[in-house]
Amino acid sequence: MSVLMPALVMALATNQPDPPIPPNMKEMECAIHKLAIQYGSRYPDKIPVMNPNSLSDALNLWNCSGTVPQKNAKPAKDLISPPSDARNSWFVDTKRGSDAIGKGSIDSPWRSVTHALAHLPTMSDRRTLFLREGTYYLNETISLTAAHSKLTISAYISDKGTEKVTLSGAGGVVTGWNCSNLLPDCKVYEAKVDLPKRGENLAPEVVNQLFANGKRMIRAKYPNADPAVTEGHCFSKPQFANEKCNWLTSTGGNTAQDPGRLVGSVALGPNRGNSPTVGCGKECNSTCATFSFNIYDPPAGHPVYNKPLPGMGWNNNSLFSRFPSPFGRPADMGVAKGDLPRQWKKPSTGIVHTFHSLLWGGWMYRIKDRQDLNITLAYGGYQEARGAQMKTNHYYVENLIEELDVPSEWFFDEDTDTVYLYPNSTEGGFPEVTIPTLDTLISVKDAHDVVIQGLTITQTRATFMEQYEVPSGGDWSIHRGAAVYIEDSHRINVTGCEFIETGGNAVILSNNVTFSHIESNEFYRTGDSGIVSLGMTNGINGMAATYPMNNTIAFNHMHEYGVYGKQTSCYFQSLTANSTVFGNICYNGPRAGFNYNDGFGGAYQMSQNLLFNHVRETADHGAFNSWDRQPYLTRSGVDDGFPDSVKLGLKGSSIVKAQSHITQNFIINGYSGVWAVDHDDGSQFYNDSSNFMVWGGCKNFLGHSKSCDHNLIVYPGIPNRANGARRCQTDDNGVFANQYFYDNQCITGDGIFYTFAKCTTTNLPETVYQTFNNQFYSPKTTFVENCGQNLSFSEWQKLGQDRGSNVTETMSLQEILSTAREKLNF
């Protein structure tokens, strides 16, 4: 376990009582959620919507009067425009085209995309490859390189609109189904297939997703339930009556996996907290001020980490981590008596899905064996960075043929090349069954000025048992892969696409990707995260052009993400600079909606996004989360005042990040979310301004140089919509470090406005955030001081806090709504 873990646990242990729930809670929540619908509908020609009821359903507006579907909703493909110059156009048609005799014209199209790419003429002008309507079953990844620069791949746009074009990672349709004797009455069918096999030593299987009539089926599991829907989730703090944890509970574990070999450790300065120009000296926590990493070789014969990690720039498979070895995770799990009633003939086909014992993410393990009430785990658990012991973790098991017992379940027997399916129904014919064999459908590398638009991208393999890396000092690890993989490329636009039930991440910007746009796409039921921005460095040296910079993530609709991975988000970034995240809608996920794993070079702009229903299956997080435990030397920061001689001689480098801004976002806390905006360990140089925060406020831990200002914060920490009773501003530092809470409007039901873990009235200016010009609201203008001295508001002000602040009677609901509109400028 990391040395930071006890501090994190302690930071959650406050003595504050739960704040009272507003007396008009239902009316208020309905009104705020209806406002959220309006906010999410501001850009009908930019934000795609497959289902006009999806926002209303997610906001539970069925429980409110006067609910209407989202107006003017359009699917993603209807938001794209014809290429500005379509003179150089070629055509592919999966239904009537021919690679043998086709000419690539609209009347004589090619049949496959890969054939078309190989036969496009070379020219300096922009080229367009139109795909006609149909499903394109891919046997290999569409690979775009420098030769395909200035290329647009687009669904065909006619006078009747944009045609429906689907790219599938399944090579074709499975046929030859017959009744199986696996269950009586022909409930289960089987078919012989020729599909890739996994490697030796319990390596991950290639076949791990199956679709029937375009819908993802459930790999035979126990307990029964679709992991993509409410009944299959494990809600850490249910919010509504139909939500609970539908998983089993382990009884602990006793052993650990082989951690591999510690190759070496790296620890480098300078201490950024002592920066001559913008540092905060002793006020900064030293834990997050210098660079350190451990380097681990995997155990001999590891079936996953037996090759170099992709895109990482070194030729070995060592893993870097700020924490203990990601390989040394729990190696067994206790089973409560009666929880797994069936015996398994071949346990080694099975997978365990479980959680970090503090609910900081999810773990997946390959099963090695099972003996009565104990499951031996072969490998896994590296899907989050911190590690922990196996305790009473919630879990389910899958990929065991004995558990195939209800409709929608399936199993692939590699020993006999047989796939089994329990279909929902065979009325009207047997369903069209497809099995993905590709992780990536489109790869863009070393290219520029490429546009991908109007496509539905679906049916890729699940990647949760593949290689993960620990990119920086945050808690998250990440798989460097996605259905659309973009690396070392510039001005790449992905727009008007639908990403439906991908097995892992949907889109990744890897390494040197610049001035690119991921805009107006819809992401639905992705196995892991929606969009990932992921760079790499040479240790502390981030000077090379190996990280994403100046990219825009805008107007995307992202929901029901993290079907498999529970340390996932709508948007994740690490080792990234100058990102703009604007106008997105993000909801219904297991952890933070947006996660920034480090500060790197900073200059992040996050504005006008709608976030709600996050931290549903984990804990100790917010709808937005950031870390900044590791400093980096980059070209993207601000003058740090240090001489080059103490910075590895790197001229023009800075260890201090540029200022970042979180503005005009509509954020609704809920479930196990503690804060709306969670600036965790070491986060620095953020302004959180003019946001509308509901049921949660701002948080700081071990960071510096931040402000929470000009926000409207409504009833933070109420027990049925938050965890931990945290109020308008949480400060767990215990030392003032250039952090301010000012010009905010905050409403509580008991007059407690702050959660200051370590404040003392004798030395207040040096121990907590500095506060001023705030407008507080509470019943009977109550004010309860947070430092244990029972001071009145005027006595609190005499100590130097809340100069110019006032406490008045609680706002009316109409005042809340009108003030929120003012803050959000809509």
Side-chain angles (χ1 to χ4, degrees):
M1 296 298 294
S2 164
V3 295
L4 289 181
M5 181 187 148
L8 283 170
V9 175
M10 178 186 67
L12 278 176
T14 67
N15 295 319
Q16 286 182 317
D18 282 336
I21 297 170
N24 60 338
M25 178 68 188
K26 182 177 179 180
E27 178 190 7
M28 179 180 295
E29 186 166 56
C30 285
I32 289 172
H33 285 192
K34 288 179 179 179
L35 188 68
I37 286 276
Q38 297 173 39
Y39 190 74
S41 303
R42 290 164 301 146
Y43 303 107
D45 293 324
K46 293 183 181 292
I47 300 178
V49 178
M50 283 189 289
N51 176 2
N53 293 313
S54 58
L55 262 180
S56 293
D57 290 346
L59 288 163
N60 294 291
L61 286 179
W62 47 264
N63 200 31
C64 304
S65 61
T67 297
V68 294
Q70 198 169 352
K71 296 180 178 179
N72 304 317
K74 299 177 183 177
K77 68 181 181 64
D78 291 344
L79 301 182
I80 68 173
S81 302
S84 57
D85 185 355
R87 291 173 298 173
N88 302 314
S89 298
W90 285 264
F91 297 82
V92 180
D93 192 327
T94 189
K95 295 179 179 178
R96 64 182 189 88
S98 171
D99 289 342
I101 61 174
K103 301 294 192 296
S105 65
I106 192 168
D107 296 321
S108 180
W110 293 310
R111 187 175 188 276
S112 69
V113 179
T114 51
H115 178 87
L117 293 175
H119 290 81
L120 282 176
T122 302
M123 57 178 61
S124 58
D125 296 335
R126 174 161 288 282
R127 299 164 292 172
T128 300
L129 185 64
F130 283 114
L131 308 188
R132 301 303 304 270
E133 186 172 10
T135 298
Y136 291 72
Y137 295 107
L138 303 181
N139 290 302
E140 58 182 311
T141 298
I142 297 170
S143 181
L144 306 180
T145 64
H148 302 107
S149 295
K150 294 187 177 181
L151 174 67
T152 295
I153 298 180
S154 176
Y156 182 62
I157 307 169
S158 70
D159 294 339
K160 298 179 180 179
T162 305
E163 295 183 350
K164 176 72 171 178
V165 175
T166 299
L167 300 185
S168 166
V173 177
V174 178
T175 58
W177 292 94
N178 296 293
C179 289
S180 170
N181 61 5
L182 198 63
L183 290 178
D185 302 324
C186 201
K187 293 177 181 176
V188 173
Y189 289 75
E190 63 182 55
K192 291 290 184 179
V193 291
D194 183 13
L195 292 169
K197 307 291 181 65
R198 60 178 171 170
E200 298 178 354
N201 194 22
L202 301 181
E205 63 280 346
V206 175
V207 176
N208 57 22
Q209 292 220 104
L210 181 145
F211 290 76
N213 291 338
K215 184 181 184 301
R216 176 163 49 203
M217 297 290 100
I218 307 161
R219 197 155 61 157
K221 69 183 286 286
Y222 190 82
N224 292 323
D226 186 347
V229 303
T230 296
E231 291 73 24
H233 291 335
C234 180
F235 289 92
S236 51
K237 184 176 183 179
Q239 191 161 293
F240 296 99
N242 61 335
E243 297 171 340
K244 59 182 180 179
C245 181
N246 292 294
W247 297 19
L248 304 171
T249 303
S250 68
T251 60
N254 301 304
T255 59
Q257 299 176 46
D258 184 346
R261 183 171 65 96
L262 178 62
V263 179
S265 298
V266 177
L268 295 170
N271 184 320
R272 62 179 169 181
N274 293 320
S275 165
T277 57
V278 291
C280 53
K282 65 179 181 180
E283 298 159 346
C284 290
N285 186 284
S286 60
T287 304
C288 303
T290 56
F291 182 89
S292 62
F293 255 115
N294 298 317
I295 307 171
Y296 300 94
D297 273 354
H302 198 290
V304 177
Y305 290 86
N306 53 10
K307 55 186 178 296
L309 275 71
M312 295 301 289
W314 63 81
N315 295 321
N316 60 63
N317 53 346
S318 298
L319 243 180
F320 287 61
S321 177
R322 192 174 189 270
F323 311 109
S325 172
F327 304 116
R329 299 299 164 85
D332 72 307
M333 184 181 75
V335 175
K337 187 175 182 179
D339 272 0
L340 294 172
R342 296 187 179 95
Q343 295 299 311
W344 307 327
K345 184 177 179 181
K346 191 175 181 180
S348 61
T349 65
I351 300 287
V352 171
H353 293 247
T354 185
F355 286 97
H356 183 284
S357 56
L358 292 177
L359 295 184
W360 288 350
W363 291 337
M364 296 81 157
Y365 291 93
R366 165 70 61 195
I367 294 175
K368 185 176 182 180
D369 200 2
R370 175 186 171 190
Q371 299 292 331
D372 194 19
L373 299 181
N374 186 268
I375 293 176
T376 306
L377 306 172
Y379 62 90
Y382 44 72
Q383 298 88 357
E384 61 82 35
R386 296 293 296 274
Q389 297 174 341
M390 183 71 70
K391 297 182 180 178
T392 53
N393 305 38
H394 297 301
Y395 74 96
Y396 72 83
V397 295
E398 68 160 347
N399 203 39
L400 294 149
I401 192 169
E402 291 83 2
E403 306 299 349
L404 200 167
D405 61 347
V406 294
S408 295
E409 289 194 336
W410 67 277
F411 179 81
F412 175 51
D413 188 335
E414 288 189 335
D415 295 336
T416 62
D417 293 315
T418 304
V419 60
Y420 298 89
L421 174 65
Y422 193 147
N424 286 318
S425 173
T426 57
E427 292 184 11
F430 200 81
E432 182 179 271
V433 175
T434 51
I435 298 177
T437 57
L438 297 179
D439 299 0
T440 300
L441 303 191
I442 300 177
S443 170
V444 184
K445 292 186 178 182
D446 302 312
H448 63 85
D449 298 288
V450 171
V451 176
I452 299 166
Q453 66 172 23
L455 310 178
T456 295
I457 294 172
T458 186
Q459 299 185 19
T460 57
R461 290 183 63 251
T463 54
F464 56 77
M465 293 305 296
E466 305 300 328
Q467 289 180 340
Y468 279 62
E469 59 194 77
V470 182
S472 57
D475 279 9
W476 292 33
S477 61
I478 189 77
H479 172 65
R480 193 180 290 262
V484 173
Y485 188 100
I486 304 169
E487 184 170 276
D488 296 333
S489 298
H490 314 286
R491 297 180 299 279
I492 311 300
N493 288 356
V494 179
T495 184
C497 294
E498 292 176 348
F499 294 84
I500 302 175
E501 297 189 323
T502 59
N505 304 315
V507 176
I508 190 169
L509 309 179
S510 174
N511 295 345
N512 186 26
V513 178
T514 66
F515 298 101
S516 296
H517 294 252
I518 312 299
E519 294 187 359
S520 297
N521 305 287
E522 185 156 6
F523 300 82
Y524 177 64
R525 289 186 177 176
T526 56
D528 291 323
S529 293
I531 304 169
V532 171
S533 178
L534 179 61
M536 58 168 280
T537 67
N538 181 10
I540 194 175
N541 183 354
M543 295 287 285
T546 56
Y547 57 89
M549 185 170 67
N550 295 320
N551 299 308
T552 299
I553 312 299
F555 305 120
N556 298 287
H557 183 187
M558 303 176 273
H559 52 115
E560 277 73 37
Y561 64 90
V563 172
Y564 301 128
K566 301 306 178 183
Q567 197 176 67
T568 49
S569 56
C570 290
Y571 172 67
F572 168 91
Q573 71 172 39
S574 180
L575 306 178
T576 293
N578 299 73
S579 61
T580 297
V581 181
F582 179 88
N584 302 281
I585 301 175
C586 167
Y587 57 91
N588 286 2
R591 201 122 177 84
F594 295 164
N595 184 70
Y596 292 12
N597 209 55
D598 50 72
F600 197 60
Y604 310 134
Q605 307 294 326
M606 173 187 151
S607 62
Q608 297 191 36
N609 302 282
L610 172 62
L611 292 86
F612 65 94
N613 289 2
H614 298 293
V615 202
R616 299 198 304 173
E617 298 182 80
T618 56
D620 190 11
H621 229 34
F624 170 85
N625 184 81
S626 67
W627 283 289
D628 199 3
R629 297 183 182 120
Q630 289 281 50
Y632 291 91
L633 292 167
T634 77
R635 298 183 187 277
S636 302
V638 297
D639 180 21
D640 59 17
F642 288 117
D644 294 339
S645 59
V646 301
K647 297 186 293 186
L648 306 180
L650 297 171
K651 293 183 178 181
S653 67
S654 173
I655 201 168
V656 176
K657 60 180 279 190
Q659 197 76 22
S660 295
H661 300 273
I662 299 176
T663 62
Q664 292 189 323
N665 298 283
F666 192 145
I667 305 176
I668 304 175
N669 190 31
Y671 294 92
S672 278
V674 185
W675 309 271
V677 175
D678 179 0
H679 290 305
D680 215 343
D681 303 19
S683 297
Q684 52 191 277
F685 298 108
Y686 279 97
N687 291 120
D688 307 333
S689 304
S690 299
N691 300 286
F692 181 33
M693 305 183 191
V694 182
W695 323 135
C698 295
K699 180 254 185 132
N700 166 69
F701 185 45
L702 303 182
H704 67 85
S705 302
K706 291 192 293 293
S707 71
C708 180
D709 62 271
H710 297 88
N711 302 288
L712 174 59
I713 305 171
V714 177
Y715 293 102
I718 59 172
N720 60 341
R721 294 295 180 268
N723 212 6
R726 300 307 185 94
R727 307 307 171 91
C728 315
Q729 175 68 61
T730 296
D731 182 17
D732 291 332
N733 258 20
V735 60
F736 171 66
N738 301 326
Q739 295 162 131
Y740 303 91
F741 182 86
Y742 65 93
D743 284 316
N744 296 286
Q745 295 166 275
C746 185
I747 309 168
T748 72
D750 58 3
I752 300 177
F753 300 106
Y754 296 116
T755 304
F756 292 161
K758 303 174 184 177
C759 72
T760 61
T761 55
T762 57
N763 202 17
L764 200 62
E766 297 183 13
T767 57
V768 298
Y769 263 57
Q770 297 305 291
T771 62
F772 53 91
N773 292 347
N774 297 294
Q775 183 64 58
F776 297 116
Y777 303 87
S778 65
K780 300 180 180 180
T781 67
T782 303
F783 173 80
V784 179
E785 167 267 317
N786 186 240
C787 295
Q789 300 299 313
N790 198 28
L791 302 177
S792 68
F793 189 63
S794 61
E795 290 172 329
W796 173 255
Q797 289 180 309
K798 288 178 182 178
L799 292 176
Q801 289 286 34
D802 275 307
R803 302 179 311 276
S805 299
N806 292 289
V807 184
T808 59
E809 191 62 41
T810 299
M811 270 188 183
S812 70
L813 177 55
Q814 288 307 312
E815 287 174 323
I816 291 173
L817 298 178
S818 62
T819 304
R821 284 185 173 274
E822 291 175 7
K823 294 291 183 186
L824 300 173
N825 193 28
F826 90 105

